[in-house]
Structure formats: structure tokens, C-alpha cells
Amino acid sequence: MQFTHFSDFISMGGYGFYVWLSFGATALLLTLLVIDSKAGHKRIINHIAQHKRREDKLRKSREQRKKAAKTDDSAAG
Amino acid sequence: MNPRRKKRLAIVSSVLIGIGAIAGLVLYALSQNIDLFYTPSEITSGKKETGIKPVIGQRIRIGGLVVPGSVKRDPESLKVSFQLSDMVMPIVFNEGDPVVTVYYEGILPDLFREGQGIVANGTLAEHPPTGLSVEASEVLAKHDENYMPTELAEAAGQKHEKANYTPEQLNTK
Amino acid sequence: MWKWLHPYANPEVSYHLTNKLLPWFSYLAAIFLSIGLVWALLFAPADYQQGDSFRIFYVHVPAASLSMGIYVSMAIAAFSSLVWQVRLADASAAAMAPVGAAFTAIALITGSAWGKPMWGTWWIWDARLTSELILLFLYLGVIALHSAFEDKNLAGKAAGILTLVGVINIPIIKYSVEWWNTLHQGSTVSKLGKPSMSLDMLWPFIFCFIGFSLLVGVIICLRFRNEILARNSIRPWVRELVEQKTQ
């Protein structure tokens, strides 16, 4: 162990600001990147699910319209 | 490919080619000037390949090793002067090597000491007793790629102490 | 070799393989990083000239060398995508770019925070620092191109070309300190023969370096997984997976 007191560890021989700035910025950037990468998985899955729901709805309404058109035809005929 | 896509691809490729060409030209133009500093021998006798020599009054950067015994600090103020010689490995200082004197007023970086590599930024001048000199507005320390624990360094006869300043000295600025 | 590699070029297989690799990478990264960082901050000796500010070395050097290493891998991926049209290579290049950008930013920030107390300046336009800054802009350009197009194939092509043009910057970064006069010193660890530092300083560095490399692996796996899903969203296997996850 290089430091006898906790305050020595924090002050880093007078260079505390620079050392902790470096380690802090590194930790912050990497944490943000990991969080964003993890959240991206859920984001994409939700996006695809939403897309699929919209497609299903479209298909259903198209089928309904087709059916309606058919019954109209038969009614007219 | 539909026309819209074709157009976009054309734009992207022309941008890329443009960036490439500009980068190439800039690099070519700079290839002589990428060096950050002049060494003392380049100041006295010109650059080796091109012969370019800075003139008196020009703003330049100088890089070299602080000649041992040449550091003179004013005890009352932050004024300091020291000589720089070429950086050569292994470090040797010979009489008659080209040296340039640097005058500076300000706080020296923590790594400053005799024998250390220094880069100073200032104007080239001619001082009658010392010859070519640089009146520096900024002094930066350049260190080498060797790291050593203190005990090991002391065993190898190497020591480093930060420059100390009295409160009065610090008040002069 | 192509026959053996073929199944891995299948998005579904790659997705599940990535999922299986992730926990291993994560545990190893956590182990190496915690040992390395505690060692670096608490037990490594201070430098005789630089004192405790030397500890910045343990994040600065791994970040800087990984920023170049990731770029080279991204360039290899971009090349195989442009030449052999490997679709997954585009996905992996897109996954690597943000990680490389982050590590380049870390190298620049930590270098700056180290330069201020040691050299006396936060920044100087010397060849090493300038070329590393250009690397950051290259990464940002690649990220921008990947997201600028709806059509992922076109985006991959544009970003791939920029990546390949930018490869020239890598040897410039690496050798800048030898080719020109710079304020930045030469390299310590990769010096052929023996590194210029004592073993009790070198060991924590090795742990930090392996730790950061594994963390890079973790983040790239996470992002690669996302890219595969986004690029195959109409495939039945993705639809099935989405159904399972959203229920």
C-alpha cells in the first residue's frame, strides 16, 4: 500500500484533481456507453414489436375491406 | 439503383474524395512543418534537410536539454534564465556544443530541472553577452518514456525535486 | 476455411453466439479491471519525477492503444464488407465505431489532465496530439455516416470508404513521436526488447490493459447484438424472438 491515510489517497501527492479527473471521466464515459448499449437491445425489440403491430393492423383492415368489397359485389349482383 | 439513391451516392463519394484530397494536400504542405520545435543546433546553423534558419525577432519554439549549472533564478522574482543544448541519447553535455539561452518570467512546470527536456515558446533575440537567446512566454517540460519508482531512481543516482517558490516571489506576478 | 466460417456469417447463429459469449467476457473484464485498477491506484509505486500523477498512465495508455486497435479492426470489417459483401461485417463495424470514439475521447481527456501538471499545458498542437484528435473526428464521421442513411447497405458502404481512407492516420499516430519533434514522449511499453519501466509498475498495467480490452469486447458484443436485430427485423427468427421478449 502506497498511502497511509485515506486523505493521502485522495490528494494523490498534490495531483488529486488531475488523477481523479482522469479516472472519473473514464468511468463516466464507459458507464454511459455500457448503459446505452444495454438499453439499445430493449429499444430495438420494442421498436420491432411496434412495427409489427402496425403491420398486423394494416393487414387486418385490408382484409376487412376486401371482404366488405366482396359482400358489396354479391349484394349488387 | 433509383435516381435519388444514385444522387446521394454521388454526393457522398465526392465529399469523401474531397476530404481525402484536402487531407493529402494539407499533409504534403505541412510535412516540412510538423516538427513542433527547433533544436539549438538548428537555430544556430539551420535545419539539416532544408537549411531553414529562424531569424531574429521571429516567434519560435525551441526544444532542448537544460544544461546543468546554467539555471539562474532571481531570488526576488519569477525571472529565470537557463541554457538549452541538443537532445542526444545518451545524455552528454560537451563544451562547445551549440547552446541557446532562454529567458523566462513565470512558474516553471513541476518536471523542470537540470538535464530535463524543455520546450519553450518565445521570440528569438540576440543578447550581447549570451549570444542567441529566446525570450520565452511559455516553458513546457518534455519528459522521456522511462518511469521509475523513487527508491530505484535514487539507487541509480537520479533524483528529482520540484522548483520551490517563496510567497514573495509568487506575489510579483 | 470458408466452409467452417460459413455458419458464423449467419445472423441468427452470430446473435446466439454473442449472447453466449457475453457473460464470460463480462466476468473476466470485471475481475481483471478491479484487480488492475486497485493495484494501479493503491499499490503501484509513484514515479520519481511525476509522483502520483503517473497513475494516469494506467488509463491513458490502454485507452490510447485500444483507440487505434479498434480502428484497425473496424477497417478490416469495412474492407471485408466492401470486397466480399459480408453483411455482418457492416454490423460489426457499426458496433465498433462508438466504442472507438469513446476510447479516443478518454485518451484525449486523460492525456490532457496529465499534460497540465507535467508538461505545463492542457493542449499543444504537436503531431501526436493532433493526429489522435483527427482519429476522434474520423470515428465521429463514421458514426454519422452509419446513421445518415435509411438503407443500411448504402450507409455501410459510405462509412466503410471513410474508414479505409482514414487508416492512413493510424501509422501517423503510432510513429509521430519518432518521425517528428513532439512534446509527447516515445512509447514505454511496446518498446522492442524490454519496456522502460520496472516490473512493479508494469504488472498493474498488464492487468488494466487486459481488463480494458475485455470491456471493449463486452461493449462491442452488446452493440453487435443490437445491430443484428435492427438489420434483420423482418426475419421470422427475429419476429419470434421479439414476440417472446415482449410477452
Side-chain angles (χ1 to χ4, degrees), chain C residues 179-200:
Chain C
W179 290 343
W180 300 294
N181 289 331
T182 56
L183 188 64
H184 198 285
Q185 70 281 11
S187 63
T188 303
V189 180
S190 66
K191 235 190 207 173
L192 285 177
K194 53 177 185 198
S196 0
M197 78 198 306
S198 66
L199 279 180
D200 45 352

Side-chain angles (χ1 to χ4, degrees), chain A residues 2-3 12 36-37 41 52, chain C residues 15 41-42 44 223 226 243:
Chain A
Q2 296 290 320
F3 305 97
M12 281 281 159
D36 174 72
S37 312
H41 200 237
K52 197 173 159 260
Chain C
Y15 180 85
L41 280 170
L42 283 171
R223 301 195 82 93
N226 301 350
E243 210 130 282

Side-chain angles (χ1 to χ4, degrees), chain A residues 63-77:
Chain A
E63 267 163 23
Q64 256 166 12
R65 230 177 302 140
K66 227 184 235 168
K67 222 184 251 167
K70 237 180 220 163
T71 47
D72 276 1
D73 278 356
S74 55

Side-chain angles (χ1 to χ4, degrees), chain C residues 102-120:
Chain C
F103 274 84
T104 312
I106 290 171
L108 288 168
I109 294 170
T110 54
S112 194
W114 197 6
K116 181 61 191 167
M118 287 302 112
W119 298 342

Side-chain angles (χ1 to χ4, degrees), chain C residues 83-103:
Chain C
V83 177
W84 298 300
Q85 325 252 296
V86 187
R87 293 269 185 97
L88 275 180
D90 260 351
S92 68
M96 285 181 226
V99 189
F103 274 84

